[in-house]
Amino acid sequence: GSPGNNAFDPQIQWDPQANRWLYVTDLIAGSDNFLAFGWSKTADPTPLGSGGSSGNWCRFFIDTGDELDDYPKLGHNDNHIIIGTNVFDGDAFVTSRIWAVSKPANGVTSCAAPAVSFTGEAGSPLETTDGDPVFTPVPANTFESSANGYVVAADSPFDVADPSQVTAWHVSGPSNAPSLTEDGNMNVSGFDFPANVPQPSTSRVLDSLDARLTQAVARTDPATGGQAVWTQHTVDGPGGRSVVRWYELLPASTTVRQEG
């Protein structure tokens, strides 16, 4: 069952190595906050379950107390479910977090509690190589078997005067003892907050976000033979427009192979 029904920012993802679905969302129940995650027991996501039943799903909740792990982003590697969050205490941003959750072995349909760890807390916030605050770390949706699970985050114009870098980390190690390694910063073309998007026949505009990365995919680039991460964000464009900027990153060598 769920501790509450006020769910925000849900994400669901197919794991082709484990042949099961993964999900994450944040929950608010009364005065407490929760990070909720889980997986389907098989490739079939039905039945969903109701009335407290988990159906074909294993469901878990982390009580984060006064802190809300907001805007969760989902990724995975061979051994871990990886979650990136922005942590708020009330209206105050305090840190970003990278969570590592042990994945069940392929074919296991029981719902044993997984090992869970995280990096980033109010007293020791997650930072880039330059010492800048990290905002919206995005784990990569890994397409193929990989011991490394990459996480990327762009400079935030809220905190960096001239944002022009993307930072990468990777989660590795056995399922019950993950290791988070910072690969480092990669230089990209400078960017800034994008303009809101006008709509016809109304003065209301669409929020184009704040230059944060929104998703990432990892797979081997046959042109290089190495694992690459593709990611994107909305940034300021010519003539006051908002444009989507994409990158192909090679975190192992902290190289930007392409951007456009």
Side-chain angles (χ1 to χ4, degrees):
S2 167
N5 59 359
N6 297 312
F8 303 91
D9 306 313
Q11 288 214 317
I12 189 165
Q13 188 172 99
W14 171 249
D15 182 347
Q17 302 306 311
N19 288 315
R20 62 173 94 225
W21 296 94
L22 314 173
Y23 79 89
V24 66
T25 188
D26 49 343
L27 292 170
I28 299 176
S31 60
D32 284 338
N33 300 291
F34 295 84
L35 187 65
F37 64 90
W39 52 81
S40 63
K41 298 175 185 178
T42 68
D44 183 0
T46 58
L48 297 176
S50 61
S53 168
S54 293
N56 202 30
W57 290 83
C58 295
R59 299 173 176 172
F60 304 94
F61 304 91
I62 301 171
D63 188 341
T64 57
D66 293 335
E67 295 181 337
L68 173 66
D69 278 74
D70 191 35
Y71 204 69
K73 292 297 181 182
L74 181 62
H76 64 276
N77 64 355
D78 288 353
N79 294 324
H80 305 99
I81 299 168
I82 305 168
I83 303 167
T85 61
N86 293 325
V87 183
F88 289 84
D89 189 343
D91 293 331
F93 172 74
V94 294
T95 187
S96 291
R97 283 185 181 140
I98 298 174
W99 297 81
V101 178
S102 60
K103 278 172 55 175
N106 293 358
V108 171
T109 58
S110 64
C111 292
V116 178
S117 63
F118 67 85
T119 300
E121 52 191 329
S124 181
L126 189 65
E127 296 181 337
T128 70
T129 305
D130 294 335
D132 298 320
V134 172
F135 192 62
T136 311
V138 179
N141 181 354
T142 305
F143 180 80
E144 59 205 347
S145 178
S146 176
N148 291 338
Y150 287 101
V151 185
V152 288
D155 280 349
S156 172
F158 289 115
D159 302 298
V160 179
D162 298 301
S164 59
Q165 292 182 320
V166 175
T167 304
W169 301 258
H170 68 269
V171 175
S172 59
S175 61
N176 61 350
S179 175
L180 178 66
T181 302
E182 185 173 338
D183 298 297
N185 291 342
M186 289 165 278
N187 294 323
V188 299
S189 298
F191 57 87
D192 208 337
F193 292 114
N196 289 329
V197 181
Q199 303 182 86
S201 305
T202 179
S203 61
R204 296 178 182 271
V205 294
L206 299 176
D207 185 353
S208 54
L209 287 181
D210 44 29
R212 70 181 74 185
L213 301 179
T214 53
Q215 67 187 71
V217 176
R219 67 159 296 159
T220 299
D221 182 344
T224 68
Q227 193 170 40
V229 174
W230 282 263
T231 187
Q232 81 290 312
H233 54 169
T234 305
V235 300
D236 60 316
R241 293 179 298 167
S242 298
V243 298
V244 174
R245 166 97 60 80
W246 62 269
Y247 309 103
E248 181 189 356
L249 310 173
L250 305 177
S253 60
T254 57
T255 301
V256 180
R257 184 168 183 268
Q258 301 183 77
E259 70 171 65

